[in-house]
């Protein structure tokens, strides 16, 4: 859905609330660079799944890839995931401001994708948790740098890496999300936020300056992170594969 200053993507999570290959590809296309001669755009991300924003990476797929020792498949998935997080965190040259709308559970990679957005609008029933299956070092460390003005690095890393469950209000009080609203009110809040920013020249400049101060991943660093993760996860034994499959089944419930 597009307006003159807003584009809205709703993840179509019909059977499983996770970032499968198809959704990662579509989101990377959606958050692709915008021409600098165009008016800056607000790109909004939400989910069509009642009760869930996203429950993380496609753990069933990862279990299959690990079981087959398919390093190429693991590298492709990991690279696509890092590309998405990187575009959300570091889009200074992409001429857009990202907005995440969380109306349910945001776990694992889903939590990190939501918090990577420039503006995070959350309904009160939402829950957050990160079990850190994908990339402990990044994007958690980069998110901590992004959020360091809101809370201490230790507190942020505790939220991102402890595996504990957090309410929307708890993360709002820590300064890690921008708006908490009642159930069913998130969409109106997004339009209000975008309208205020669109009509505030200085507010829009401040958002763009924030993005210019965000450093993205180089291709070399991305490759190092992907290779390290693939090396670690591809050596998983039968118990690890079973663990991934069990978590993957929970994403369908």
């Amino acid at each position: 859905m597009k307006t003159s200053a807003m584009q809205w993507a709703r993840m179509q999570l019909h059977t499983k609330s996770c970032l499968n290959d198809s959704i990662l590809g579509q989101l990377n296309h959606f958050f692709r660079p915008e021409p600098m001669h165009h008016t800056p755009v607000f790109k909004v991300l939400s989910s069509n799944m009642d009760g869930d924003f996203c429950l993380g990476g496609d753990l069933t797929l990862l279990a299959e890839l690990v079981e087959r020792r398919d390093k190429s498949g693991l590298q492709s998935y990991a690279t696509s995931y890092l590309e998405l997080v990187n575009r959300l965190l570091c889009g200074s040259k992409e001429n857009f401001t990202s907005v995440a709308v969380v109306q349910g559970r945001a776990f694992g990679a889903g939590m990190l994708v939501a918090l990577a957005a420039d503006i995070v609008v959350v309904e009160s029933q939402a829950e957050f948790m990160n079990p850190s299956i994908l990339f402990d070092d990044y994007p958690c460390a980069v998110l901590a740098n992004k959020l360091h003005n809101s809370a201490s690095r230790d507190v942020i890393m505790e939220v991102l890496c402890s595996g504990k469950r957090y309410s929307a209000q708890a993360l709002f009080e820590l300064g890690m999300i921008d708006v908490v609203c009642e159930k069913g009110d998130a969409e109106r809040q997004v339009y209000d936020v975008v309208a205020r920013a669109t009509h505030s020249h200085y507010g829009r400049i401040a958002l763009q300056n924030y993005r210019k101060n965000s450093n993205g991943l180089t291709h070399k660093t991305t490759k190092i992170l992907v290779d390290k993760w693939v090396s670690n996860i591809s050596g998983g034994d039968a118990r690890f594969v079973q663990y991934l499959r069990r978590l993957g089944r929970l994403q369908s419930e």
Side-chain angles (χ1 to χ4, degrees), residues 134-238:
L134 291 175
F135 300 108
D136 289 339
D137 298 330
Y138 183 93
C140 291
V142 184
L143 277 171
N145 288 334
K146 172 196 169 186
L147 300 165
H148 76 278
N149 289 327
S150 304
S152 73
R153 185 180 179 87
D154 288 344
V155 169
I156 295 167
M157 294 304 287
E158 171 72 10
V159 172
L160 296 178
C161 300
S162 68
K164 296 178 182 177
R165 192 171 299 203
Y166 290 86
S167 67
Q169 187 62 34
L171 291 195
F172 178 73
E173 291 173 0
L174 289 173
M176 298 180 71
I177 58 180
D178 302 289
V179 177
V180 175
C181 59
E182 294 302 314
K183 184 175 182 178
D185 196 39
E187 193 161 319
R188 183 184 68 81
Q189 291 289 339
V190 170
Y191 281 98
D192 287 349
V193 167
V194 171
R196 290 197 300 270
T198 301
H199 290 94
S200 172
H201 175 69
Y202 294 106
R204 189 164 61 251
I205 288 176
L207 280 171
Q208 293 301 316
N209 285 341
Y210 155 73
R211 300 185 73 86
K212 290 178 181 177
N213 291 327
S214 300
N215 296 315
L217 283 175
T218 64
H219 289 297
K220 180 179 179 180
T221 303
T222 298
K223 187 177 187 309
I224 290 172
L225 287 169
V226 169
D227 288 348
K228 176 183 175 183
W229 178 76
V230 170
S231 176
N232 289 338
I233 197 171
S234 62
D237 59 14

Side-chain angles (χ1 to χ4, degrees), residues 2 7 25-35 41 43 83-84 87-88 91 93-96:
K2 296 185 179 182
Q7 300 175 10
Q26 292 175 53
L27 292 182
N28 276 315
H29 179 73
F30 178 71
F31 288 108
R32 68 193 184 280
E34 291 286 335
V41 172
K43 295 193 175 187
E83 181 180 3
L84 173 59
R87 284 187 173 183
L88 285 163
K93 298 179 181 179
E94 298 183 2
N95 203 30
F96 69 83

Side-chain angles (χ1 to χ4, degrees), residues 8 53 76 119 149 171:
W8 198 307
F53 172 76
S76 176
I119 302 170
N149 289 327
L171 291 195

